Every structure is written in C-alpha cells, then in structure tokens.
C-alpha cells in the first residue's frame, strides 16, 4: 500500500503556505520602510541645508553613502562588476547619485518641500515613459492617456503655485525627473543581472574619484554652520535615503514583486507632505494634496495598463 509523500501531506502544505505568508509580510514591511525612507529625503535635505551649501551637501552625502556601500561590498566580498556593465552603472551614477540629489537640492533652496514632493510625485510616470523608450516596449493607449493626465495635473499645479509662470526651482525639479528616470530605468535593467543593492553600491563607489575632490573643493568655498538638525539631515540623506532605503526597497521588491511594491510607492508624495508639515512646519494649500492624489490615481491607472 502506497503512503502519501511527506512533501504533499496537509501539514507540509500548511507549513509551506505559512512560510510564504511570512515572507510576503516581511517583504511588504521592507518595501514600506523603503518608501518611508524616500519620503523623508526632501525634509532631510532642507534640514541639511541649514548647515551646508548645496554643492557641499551633495558631494558629502555621496561620499558618506559610498563609504557605507563600499564597506558592505567588501564585507560580502562582492566581485568587481563586469566591464560591459560600466556604461549602465555610469548612467545610474549620473542620474541617481549625482544628478537627482544636486538638482533637487538646488530646487529646495527656492521651493518648499511640499511643492517639490508634488512635482517629483510624477517620477513613476516619467520612469515608465523612459523604460518604454529604452526597451522598445509599447504600452497601451490608456497608459499614455493616464501619464499625460498626470503630467498635466502637475504642470497646472506648478504654474498655479508659481503665479502663472514656471520658476527656476520648477526647472530644476523637472530636470531632476528626467535624469532620475534615466537612472532608474538603467538601474532596473542592470538589476535583472545583478542584485539591486549592488547596482546602487557600485554606482556610489564609482563616483568616489569625482565626489571626494568635489567635497573638498565645495567645503573650502561654502560656509559650514553645524547644527543638530543639519547633521541629522545629512546623515539621513546619505545613509538612510541613498543606501539603506534602497537596500530594504530592493529586498522588498524581490520578496513581493515589483507590481505590489509599486503600489506602496504611490503613497510617497503624500507622506512627504505629512513630513513637511510635521518636521518643517510648512503650510500648504489644498491644491498640494489634491494634486498628489490626482497623480496617484493616474499612476494607479498606468500600473493596471
């Protein structure tokens, strides 16, 4: 008489299902922590600007993040990336490590974090458009209609908030969207062949020959007035947002999948609005959360398209 294999007994199936549920729950928590870390980037940058000039802040945060990333790469004895991956890593470095932090930091000298959060809330749509162009994939007409609607909502918000014309801060923010979307797109392609945290880790490390002398030069020209908030802001954007946030974000995506993780990221602009009110005492009109919700709806439509 045959006996049922232990691998297919009800108890074994229940144990496997329980493990899957625990892994999914942990992945959701990790992805949510990543989104929370990213939502604190703009308020932390505003804090850091109390102590550092914009060029010093960007260079120093990149150096600190690279030191942490380099230590992790050494600790795990990660091999050097293949030479053919270097061009892609250079795009990630230019967009995510240097371009986006610099442009948003310059913007936050002239704009509130709430305003910046709404504009940069368009990033998932911009990234999707770049990805479509880069990979040759053709999204549906509904996708593009939702993307255009989201862009129109943000453009109307920025023009309305700026008195009928775009400001220099808006120009920095829109440029930041483009370079970051390019960096995210190329990083997503690289993450198919190497772990995501290694992508950002190597991008940070490869920037050291540029960021170390840039930090030394900027610190010699821009005044430094250390405050508790300024130092806390620097440490968070360097370690929390740039490295640890991406670390838990990529681990969460690996556990629950990109579609489910992306749904969590829809809350990021609204979270930043909350932080800007709680940590910076900013006041904003109803147009900011309403526009953020409109963009969230448009992104949700693109996710389902």
């Amino acid at each position: 008489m045959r006996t049922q294999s232990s691998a297919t007994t009800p108890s074994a199936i229940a144990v496997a299902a329980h493990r899957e549920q625990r892994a999914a729950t942990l992945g959701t928590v990790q992805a949510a922590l990543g989104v929370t870390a990213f939502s604190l980037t703009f308020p932390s940058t505003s804090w850091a600007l109390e102590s550092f000039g914009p060029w010093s802040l960007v260079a120093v945060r990149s150096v600190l993040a690279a030191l942490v990333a380099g230590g992790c790469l050494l600790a795990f004895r990660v091999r050097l990336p293949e030479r053919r991956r270097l061009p892609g890593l250079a795009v990630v470095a230019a967009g995510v490590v240097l371009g986006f932090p610099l442009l948003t930091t310059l913007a936050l000298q002239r704009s509130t974090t709430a305003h910046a959060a709404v504009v940069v809330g368009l990033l998932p749509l911009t990234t999707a458009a770049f990805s479509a162009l880069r990979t040759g994939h053709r999204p549906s007409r509904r996708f593009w209609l939702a993307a255009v609607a989201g862009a129109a909502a943000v453009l109307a918000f920025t023009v309305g908030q700026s008195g009928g014309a775009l400001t220099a801060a808006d120009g920095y923010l829109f440029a930041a969207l483009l370079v970051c979307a390019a960096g995210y797109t190329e990083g997503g392609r690289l993450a198919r062949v190497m772990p995501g945290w290694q992508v950002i880790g190597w991008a940070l490390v490869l920037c050291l020959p540029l960021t170390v002398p840039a930090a030394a030069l900027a610190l010699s020209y821009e005044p430094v007035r250390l405050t508790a908030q300024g130092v806390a802001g620097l440490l968070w954007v360097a370690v929390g947002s740039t490295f640890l946030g991406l670390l838990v974000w990529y681990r969460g995506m690996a556990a629950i999948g990109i579609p489910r993780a992306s749904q969590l990221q829809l809350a990021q602009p609204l979270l930043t609005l909350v932080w800007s009110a709680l940590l910076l005492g900013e006041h904003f009109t109803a147009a900011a959360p309403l526009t953020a919700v409109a963009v969230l709806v448009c992104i949700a439509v693109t996710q389902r398209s």
Side-chain angles (χ1 to χ4, degrees):
M1 178 172 148
R2 291 185 179 178
T3 59
Q4 189 176 24
S5 172
S6 60
T8 58
T9 60
S11 60
I13 294 175
V15 170
H18 180 65
R19 288 177 179 174
E20 281 189 18
Q21 182 62 37
R22 286 186 60 185
T25 301
L26 179 59
T28 301
V29 171
Q30 289 174 326
L33 287 174
V35 171
T36 304
F38 300 151
S39 71
L40 281 161
T41 300
F42 285 174
S44 299
T45 300
S46 294
W47 273 6
L49 285 171
E50 295 178 5
S51 297
F52 301 91
W55 297 92
S56 301
L57 173 58
V58 173
V60 171
R61 72 178 273 185
S62 297
V63 171
L64 292 178
L67 293 177
V68 175
C72 292
L73 291 170
L74 286 174
F76 288 101
R77 298 181 181 180
V78 178
R79 294 182 179 179
L80 290 172
E82 300 175 18
R83 182 173 297 181
R84 58 177 175 163
R85 310 295 181 202
L86 294 181
L89 289 171
V91 174
V92 175
V96 179
V97 177
L98 299 177
F100 185 79
L102 176 60
L103 291 166
T104 53
T105 298
L106 293 173
L108 287 172
Q109 287 190 299
R110 302 166 174 83
S111 172
T112 64
T113 59
H115 182 93
V118 173
V119 176
V120 176
L122 201 60
L123 182 58
L125 295 180
T126 312
T127 304
F130 260 83
S131 179
L133 294 173
R134 182 70 174 87
T135 62
H137 175 67
R138 295 184 179 181
S140 67
R141 181 177 298 179
R142 185 171 67 170
F143 171 93
W144 289 115
L145 287 174
V148 171
V154 170
L155 184 61
F157 171 80
T158 54
V159 171
Q161 294 290 302
S162 305
L166 296 178
T167 64
D170 294 324
Y172 286 134
L173 290 171
F174 283 119
L177 284 174
L178 296 178
V179 299
C180 190
Y184 276 0
T185 300
E186 199 62 31
R189 292 180 70 252
L190 287 173
R192 297 175 183 175
V193 294
M194 56 192 298
W197 74 271
Q198 292 182 21
V199 173
I200 189 62
W202 283 120
L204 285 164
V205 171
L206 291 174
C207 284
L208 279 174
L210 179 63
T211 54
V212 169
L217 182 63
L219 288 171
S220 67
Y221 279 94
E222 292 180 335
V224 176
R225 297 178 295 273
L226 295 181
T227 65
Q229 283 190 351
V231 173
L234 170 64
L235 292 177
W236 183 259
V237 294
V239 181
S241 298
T242 305
F243 185 68
L244 294 181
L246 286 168
L247 174 62
V248 293
W249 171 247
Y250 280 124
R251 287 177 65 90
M253 281 199 300
I256 66 176
I258 294 175
R260 288 179 63 185
S262 298
Q263 296 299 319
L264 294 174
Q265 199 173 25
L266 299 181
Q268 186 173 322
L270 293 174
L271 281 174
T272 300
L273 292 179
V274 172
W275 295 129
S276 67
L278 293 178
L279 300 178
L280 304 176
E282 288 187 1
H283 300 281
F284 43 82
T285 64
L290 288 177
T291 305
V293 170
V295 173
L296 187 152
V297 172
C298 292
I299 295 174
V301 172
T302 64
Q303 293 285 328
R304 286 165 168 46
S305 301

